[in-house]
Amino acid sequence: QVQLVESGGGLVQTGDSLRLSCVASGRAFSSYALGWFRQAPGKEREFVAGISSFGGGASYADSVKGRFTISRDNAKNTVYLQMNSLNPDDTAVYYCAAKRGTDYDSGYWGQGTQVTVSS
């Protein structure tokens, strides 16, 4: 069992930066692939960024490539999402997720943290 708790969201202006953190409880954190997702009002949840287990490769949605960076610190059981050059389209609730299998839907999810970018 893994519990995930996100933090770091807030209200910022266009062009600002934020760093989200997600701390996991439970064992074998490094064996989980981790991802960040977001859901804006009236929209479906979408993938933002992912990082493979044991600190492997990262992947990003096209909309955030070059602006967001995902990283993990296995010693701290934490995954981060550094978000730069934020714009109003980035406004959403951001969730972190962990999986061992093929999809996140059957994995573990945090409760989400709100990010609001004003124009």
Side-chain angles (χ1 to χ4, degrees):
Q1 191 79 1
V2 175
Q3 291 184 324
L4 303 169
V5 179
E6 303 98 332
S7 63
L11 172 63
V12 297
Q13 294 184 331
T14 296
D16 285 350
S17 298
L18 274 177
R19 188 176 80 158
L20 305 183
S21 300
C22 175
V23 179
S25 63
R27 302 173 68 178
F29 174 79
S30 59
S31 69
Y32 288 86
L34 304 166
W36 286 97
F37 294 76
R38 67 187 182 186
Q39 187 166 22
K43 296 186 177 181
E44 293 187 353
R45 185 179 65 197
E46 64 174 354
F47 170 81
V48 175
I51 187 166
S52 59
S53 58
F54 300 102
S59 60
Y60 299 91
D62 288 342
S63 59
V64 306
K65 278 181 183 176
R67 299 189 299 123
F68 290 11
T69 303
I70 188 171
S71 61
R72 65 190 296 165
D73 186 337
N74 290 333
K76 296 182 178 179
N77 278 19
T78 302
V79 59
Y80 304 99
L81 185 68
Q82 177 67 43
M83 306 186 294
N84 298 329
S85 301
L86 286 162
N87 62 66
D89 289 338
D90 297 316
T91 295
V93 178
Y94 284 72
Y95 300 89
C96 71
K99 67 169 182 173
R100 275 181 170 165
T102 57
D103 66 272
Y104 285 100
D105 286 343
S106 57
Y108 301 97
W109 290 80
Q111 83 290 347
T113 185
Q114 176 71 47
V115 172
T116 303
V117 185
S118 64
S119 58

